[in-house]
Amino acid sequence: MTIVVGAGLAGSTCAKVLSGAGHPFVLCEASDRPGGRAVSDRTPDGFVLDRGFQVLLDSYPTARRHLDFAALGGGRFRAGAMFVGGGRPSCLENPLRRPPALFGALRAEVIPWADLLRLLRLVTKSLGSRGAEETFSTGAMLRRYGFSETFFTRFARPFFGGVLLDPELRTSGEVFLGYLRRFVTGRALLPARGIGALAEQLVAGIPQGMVRYGMRAEALVFAGGRVCGVRFANGVFLAGDDVILAVDEPAACRLIGSGRPRPALATAVHYFAADRPFYRGAWLCLPPRREESPVLHAALVSNAAPSLAPRGAHLWSVTVLPGHPRAADAELVRAEVASWFGEDPRSMRPLALIEVPYAVPEQLPGFRRRPSPWGVLPPGVQVVGDANCGASIDAVMASGEEVAKKVISPEALN
């Protein structure tokens, strides 16, 4: 039997593939539901709050294989952004999807025209090459292409700094190009029940009894140098010939008994209820990046997926920079957002500040080539998820799929 430890997106995808092949397994999750870091909470008055601002790109190939996008419901963001905080809000759409938008962008002068041309060149590069920028950080790569400081302030840091959870843009340029490729060729979706609906759908078809909650792995058990099972904190021991660790890097190092995990990147998001929308359309709002402000970007997520708020209400998601001295100041945050539209900040009612200290591991240049922190894995043990791959939704799902196929066909391991 195979034991999958962790029912995040990697573990849930792995379990779905094993189940589809009729391979004996059990999926064990420490909490009371699947999803890991991609879960959603519902407030008593009906607002759906994700653990950080997360979207599903419909250009993700692995996600398309394993998820029923239509059944997820919800809606999608416009392919572009609304630039705020510098006078009248101005929208920039993806010219690859709507070519006339390029002329509107040039007229608006939100981003210098030379930077728009550089961005089109970079988009072309992202659609072609693979891995060529792995030795450069995102910031260094953008500077090599000659982007202006205005571009960094108005677009790169608020948008991709938010996507990468790294406003300093230290993340590998290869990772940046991968996200850029998926954003320009796909659409950013918000499921009707929040991002937590992804893992719920993945495990929905797994037979009852093969998914167990409240099972926090305490130790791997070995016999003759090979793994033979897992001992859990509740005293349960499960025997298994293969153990797949679908947990974060610190937990994987702890269970394997070796290695030093990479530092983590955090995220934090304020949620506000509003009785009216401040703008029309499903736009992501990008303010200029300012050191004195904790705000990275914001969105009326209920404009994209109305089901995320109760009828007649609207839901703001405002991503702030973790560690900023005023990141937790809801009064400051809502005053800044309201100022973009000349609105009264009191029309935004604070709902929650959700902080995720371990959102993703650092993905610095060359991270794919670094030795794994635990060295050679013990026989019978596999690791999936962002502990051994990129941190996007599709990357972690692909890692779960790949290892499940190897377990089903052991010859693929050789």
Side-chain angles (χ1 to χ4, degrees):
M1 184 177 73
T2 296
I3 303 170
V4 182
V5 178
L9 292 175
S12 296
T13 304
C14 183
K16 177 179 179 288
V17 174
L18 294 173
S19 179
H23 186 88
F25 76 96
V26 61
L27 174 62
C28 299
E29 166 59 36
S31 69
D32 60 355
R33 55 180 165 166
R37 283 163 274 164
V39 295
S40 306
D41 300 304
R42 181 177 290 274
T43 68
D45 46 354
F47 291 95
V48 178
L49 313 182
D50 290 339
R51 304 279 178 86
F53 180 76
Q54 302 182 63
V55 296
L56 170 66
L57 297 177
D58 65 3
S59 51
Y60 282 156
T62 311
R64 294 193 69 86
R65 286 195 295 274
H66 292 287
L67 293 169
D68 182 343
F69 281 35
L72 290 172
R76 65 177 184 268
F77 281 100
R78 297 288 292 269
M82 176 183 288
F83 293 89
V84 296
R88 183 177 179 181
S90 179
C91 297
L92 171 65
E93 293 190 78
N94 178 358
L96 294 182
R97 287 195 172 273
R98 200 174 76 84
L102 180 60
F103 300 103
L106 292 174
R107 286 195 303 270
E109 297 183 347
V110 176
I111 297 176
W113 66 268
D115 284 331
L116 289 173
L117 294 178
R118 293 183 186 104
L119 185 58
L120 288 174
R121 179 185 169 206
L122 201 57
V123 166
T124 301
K125 180 181 180 62
S126 77
L127 297 174
S129 63
R130 299 289 190 275
E133 303 292 348
E134 64 179 3
T135 60
F136 294 93
S137 70
T138 296
M141 184 191 69
L142 293 176
R143 288 189 171 87
R144 285 179 67 223
Y145 275 78
F147 285 97
S148 70
E149 283 305 312
T150 298
F151 179 83
F152 277 88
T153 300
R154 293 295 286 163
F155 187 74
R157 290 194 180 99
F159 183 72
F160 279 106
V163 169
L164 301 170
L165 305 184
D166 173 26
E168 298 305 313
L169 303 177
R170 297 166 58 242
T171 297
S172 165
E174 179 189 11
V175 173
F176 165 82
L177 288 178
Y179 275 112
L180 183 61
R181 179 170 63 253
R182 296 303 179 197
F183 270 106
V184 299
T185 59
R187 299 171 299 179
L189 310 180
L190 279 180
R193 299 194 312 277
I195 205 70
L198 274 60
E200 291 172 359
Q201 189 184 94
L202 289 170
V203 303
I206 296 176
Q208 189 174 7
M210 300 178 92
V211 183
R212 303 185 188 180
Y213 298 108
M215 300 281 284
R216 182 175 298 278
E218 187 173 78
L220 303 183
V221 179
F222 296 88
R226 181 183 175 85
V227 73
C228 64
V230 181
R231 186 171 68 251
F232 295 87
N234 59 5
V236 172
F237 170 76
L238 292 178
D241 302 316
D242 294 286
V243 174
I244 299 172
L245 298 179
V247 294
D248 61 31
E249 200 166 292
C253 289
R254 174 178 61 82
L255 290 169
I256 294 167
S258 65
R260 177 180 296 177
R262 286 171 288 175
L265 298 178
T267 189
V269 59
H270 284 270
Y271 284 103
F272 299 93
D275 57 8
R276 65 182 185 279
F278 291 176
Y279 62 89
R280 292 178 177 271
W283 293 100
L284 180 68
C285 300
L286 301 182
R289 185 73 204 105
R290 298 180 295 116
E291 289 188 6
E292 62 270 24
S293 170
V295 177
L296 288 175
H297 57 72
L300 266 170
V301 290
S302 52
N303 278 12
S307 56
L308 299 179
R311 185 179 297 276
H314 305 273
L315 178 63
W316 274 101
S317 168
V318 185
T319 299
V320 295
L321 183 64
H324 190 281
R326 304 197 68 179
D329 190 340
E331 294 298 319
L332 172 75
V333 170
R334 72 174 179 173
E336 179 173 341
V337 173
S339 72
W340 302 338
F341 305 96
E343 296 282 352
D344 185 344
R346 291 173 297 182
S347 64
M348 299 172 64
R349 175 169 59 88
L351 291 174
L353 167 62
I354 295 178
E355 299 175 285
V356 184
Y358 193 107
V360 297
E362 278 188 341
Q363 300 174 93
L364 299 181
F367 79 99
R368 296 186 195 277
R369 294 180 284 104
R370 76 180 183 100
S372 65
W374 42 77
V376 178
L377 287 169
V381 177
Q382 300 289 326
V383 177
V384 301
D386 59 17
N388 73 344
C389 69
S392 72
I393 285 174
D394 205 65
V396 299
M397 291 182 66
S399 73
E401 176 189 65
E402 179 183 6
V403 168
K405 290 179 177 178
K406 289 179 179 181
V407 169
I408 294 165
S409 302
E411 62 274 10
L413 293 169
N414 301 321

